[in-house]
Amino acid sequence: MSIFEYNGSALVAMVGKNCFAIASDRRLGVQLQTIATDFQRISKIHDRLFLGLSGLATDAQTLYQRLVFRHKLYQLREERDMKPETFANLVSAILYEKRFGPYFCQPVIAGLGDEDKPFICTMDSIGAKELAKDFVVAGTASESLYGACESMFKEDMEPEELFETVSQALLSSVDRDCLSGWGGHVYVVTPTEVKERILKGRMD
Amino acid sequence: MSKAVVELPPKGGFNFDLCRRNEMLLKKGASPPSFRKTGTTIVGLIYQEGVILGADTRATAGSIVCDKNCEKIHYMAPNIYCCGAGTAADTEAVTDMVSSQLQLHRYHTSRESRVATALTLLKSHLFNYQGYVQAALVLGGVDVTGPHLHMIYPHGSTDALPFATMGSGSLAAMAVFESKYCEGLNKEEGINLVCEAICAGIFNDLGSGSNVDICVITKGHKEYLRNYRVPNTRAHFSSKEFTFPKKTEVLLTKIVPLREKIEVTEDGDAMEE
């Protein structure tokens, strides 16, 4: 059993026209037993930057706390929020520091950068960044997510269409993975608002 | 008397805090995750006026392609570039680190960086970690002493050659070089040969794929040709796009308007004395 399959997770982030969507499943399990169906995998770092952490839930929580700490220090020093590209470099450095004893997490970072340009990025557990222009996936359902996103993705989608695409891709992929699912949690972020929606999915 | 122990922040370098816990997990049967590798075909050759480096653009995690267009030619100095194969995090971290060290060295000495400096910094770091930092590199550049091309292995050994290939596709690329390389190639011939070698890797090695990136370095000038050739475009577009007329069922919606950024103007009233 891989350490990533201990808790189970599914995360996806997609780019639209001046907006982005980041979505996760809601299951928290201990191997094959489900212990929570409302687990929050995506956290807000600041108004225009979201972080999703897949993999071992304990490492995800510890890593999230460390990153919030570093971001708050940055805010105090620089008197502004961190840009998504800078944040991605910070996460990469923190993960690489533990190269020989890593955190068992795969982060997905999504944010709006300068001039409201959407930025998405994922990394492996030791901080190798993958900057994509269309979508990034992580978690136990990642193989199905790759397939679903690859076929459903279109360039320059408006927020409503982006929401539909991300939701359908997420729900269809977690249906093919035992360890993730039990609904979905989708954030669609545009320059003016953040829409958070909870999806109804198969509860098995 | 209570001892107040203030934990100092780490001074850089690797942190081994989680190793004991990870060992325990391994013993209990939880296998560690696979890291992102750049399966790769990377090549370099020396031509008439300088050095040409080439790389494919596929990154894999196990047998899944996780990035179809990643960058494997890393910047080291204005006149030195480095291609990296092996574990992606290691190649990125080690080239970034040596690039910063070279910049500091340039500030210190007020001179253009030399390829030998980059070579020594890379090989001593890799040897220090006895091959555990899995980065196999092709380093090329042109400095005051002329064009240089080196291969650096994960354990820290190096080779200096007129043409070099590394990565899982190195045999396919080397076959092309061995048959067609000669000294004194001009720029066009050099680029074509590098392109052919990378394409041999892309089409014959499963760990390499997608597009060809090329970097041409000459004395005082460099050209980074990202996606120089794109031999694998997606051909299977379906004419019927995905549409979802039956909308996704939503249980809860929460809308948070983002705060408007307030502009502070300077022409307020001055404070009264």
Side-chain angles (χ1 to χ4, degrees):
Chain A
M1 182 217 47
S2 161
I3 192 63
F4 271 106
E5 289 166 18
Y6 188 74
N7 291 127
S9 51
L11 272 172
V12 59
M14 234 187 236
V15 164
K17 193 169 181 182
N18 286 341
C19 62
F20 68 85
I22 181 168
S24 76
D25 72 320
R26 305 190 77 207
R27 176 185 180 269
L28 177 71
V30 168
Q31 291 182 295
L32 293 175
Q33 185 189 38
T34 305
I35 53 177
T37 56
D38 57 359
F39 189 62
Q40 272 269 68
R41 276 204 174 84
I42 300 174
S43 343
K44 188 177 86 156
I45 301 289
H46 63 75
D47 278 339
R48 291 150 66 98
L49 179 59
F50 284 77
L51 169 74
L53 287 165
S54 71
L56 195 62
T58 170
D59 278 352
Q61 287 182 339
T62 306
L63 189 62
Y64 167 67
Q65 284 165 3
R66 282 189 69 186
L67 290 167
V68 161
F69 167 65
R70 294 293 294 267
H71 182 251
K72 282 185 177 171
L73 278 179
Y74 184 91
Q75 275 180 323
L76 286 170
R77 269 191 226 120
E78 301 255 333
E79 293 180 356
R80 65 178 175 91
D81 291 330
M82 225 188 234
K83 283 190 210 161
E85 294 86 358
T86 315
F87 186 71
N89 279 326
L90 173 67
V91 179
S92 179
I94 287 182
L95 290 173
Y96 192 71
E97 194 186 15
K98 302 254 192 278
R99 163 66 169 94
F100 297 115
Y103 285 117
F104 296 125
C105 281
Q106 267 187 309
V108 167
I109 297 161
L112 282 177
D114 289 332
E115 281 141 39
D116 297 337
K117 191 160 176 293
F119 171 87
I120 50 170
C121 160
T122 185
M123 293 168 209
D124 69 350
S125 54
I126 47 174
K129 275 193 300 236
E130 184 205 320
L131 308 161
K133 296 204 169 60
D134 39 17
F135 59 86
V136 291
V137 302
T140 47
S142 59
E143 293 182 24
S144 309
L145 277 164
Y146 274 125
C149 291
E150 189 76 54
S151 41
M152 295 184 193
F153 178 78
K154 281 193 299 238
E155 297 264 319
D156 285 338
M157 284 186 278
E158 295 293 329
E160 284 309 310
E161 204 192 342
L162 181 67
F163 164 69
E164 282 301 322
T165 309
V166 160
S167 311
Q168 290 290 338
L170 179 73
L171 290 174
S172 43
S173 307
V174 303
D175 283 351
R176 283 287 184 177
D177 177 31
C178 312
L179 299 166
S180 49
W182 267 267
H185 206 142
V186 185
Y187 289 82
V188 177
V189 182
T190 58
T192 49
E193 64 179 10
V194 172
K195 253 195 197 156
E196 179 189 339
R197 278 180 271 229
I198 296 186
L199 306 173
K200 179 170 173 198
R202 284 174 63 136
M203 306 300 258
D204 63 355
Chain B
M1 286 280 270
S2 61
K3 263 192 192 170
V5 177
V6 175
E7 258 197 51
L8 294 164
K11 285 196 186 139
F14 292 121
N15 184 310
F16 298 95
D17 282 346
L18 293 176
C19 286
R20 196 174 286 165
R21 176 202 74 156
N22 291 0
E23 267 298 303
M24 180 273 291
L25 283 169
L26 196 65
K27 280 204 192 83
K28 293 206 169 165
S31 61
S34 66
F35 301 138
R36 198 155 75 91
K37 291 198 175 276
T38 52
T40 308
T41 308
I42 47 175
V43 306
L45 64 69
I46 295 185
Y47 76 112
Q48 228 171 44
E49 290 146 36
V51 172
I52 304 179
L53 297 172
D56 73 309
T57 59
R58 172 182 284 183
T60 53
S63 60
I64 304 288
V65 175
C66 52
D67 196 348
K68 291 187 283 187
N69 206 0
C70 68
E71 280 186 34
K72 298 188 193 176
I73 305 186
H74 307 283
Y75 168 88
M76 299 282 271
N79 57 326
I80 306 174
Y81 273 75
C82 185
C83 305
T87 303
D90 287 334
T91 56
E92 278 175 31
V94 93
T95 48
D96 271 347
M97 184 191 75
V98 171
S99 172
S100 312
Q101 287 177 338
L102 285 176
Q103 174 77 296
L104 288 170
H105 193 249
R106 276 202 294 285
Y107 284 138
H108 207 72
T109 57
S110 308
R111 280 182 176 76
E112 191 187 55
S113 296
R114 296 193 188 193
V115 181
T117 319
L119 180 73
T120 312
L121 289 168
L122 285 164
K123 76 194 288 189
S124 36
H125 180 85
L126 291 174
F127 180 75
N128 221 352
Y129 288 96
Q130 287 292 295
Y132 280 94
V133 175
Q134 277 151 18
L137 310 163
V138 168
L139 175 73
V142 179
D143 55 28
V144 285
T145 51
H148 296 278
L149 182 68
H150 295 280
M151 289 164 76
I152 308 168
Y153 294 89
H155 285 262
S157 60
T158 57
D159 279 329
L161 297 155
F163 57 93
T165 68
M166 288 279 244
S168 55
S170 60
L171 287 140
M174 189 52 95
V176 173
F177 273 172
E178 285 286 3
S179 45
K180 298 191 180 172
Y181 179 82
C182 55
E183 292 199 3
L185 291 165
N186 67 27
K187 182 174 168 188
E188 206 188 298
E189 288 168 355
I191 292 182
N192 282 334
L193 185 57
V194 163
C195 210
E196 221 184 301
I198 300 287
C199 285
I202 288 174
F203 292 119
N204 299 101
D205 173 46
L206 302 176
S208 320
S210 295
N211 318 314
V212 181
D213 281 351
I214 294 204
C215 186
V216 182
I217 310 172
T218 53
K219 195 162 178 61
H221 180 68
K222 62 147 195 284
E223 236 181 297
Y224 184 38
L225 304 161
R226 170 91 170 124
N227 289 357
Y228 174 75
R229 187 164 297 171
V230 184
N232 292 305
T233 45
R234 188 167 162 185
H236 50 277
F237 281 107
S238 75
S239 51
K240 222 171 52 158
E241 287 181 336
F242 273 95
T243 48
F244 306 107
K246 191 173 171 196
K247 302 220 175 271
T248 325
E249 277 191 69
V250 175
L251 293 171
L252 169 76
T253 308
K254 192 167 119 180
I255 305 177
V256 176
L258 292 179
R259 284 183 310 232
E260 277 175 37
K261 293 223 169 106
I262 301 168
E263 289 293 322
V264 177
T265 47
E266 284 302 316
D267 46 59
D269 293 332
M271 275 201 323
E272 296 200 3
E273 289 290 317

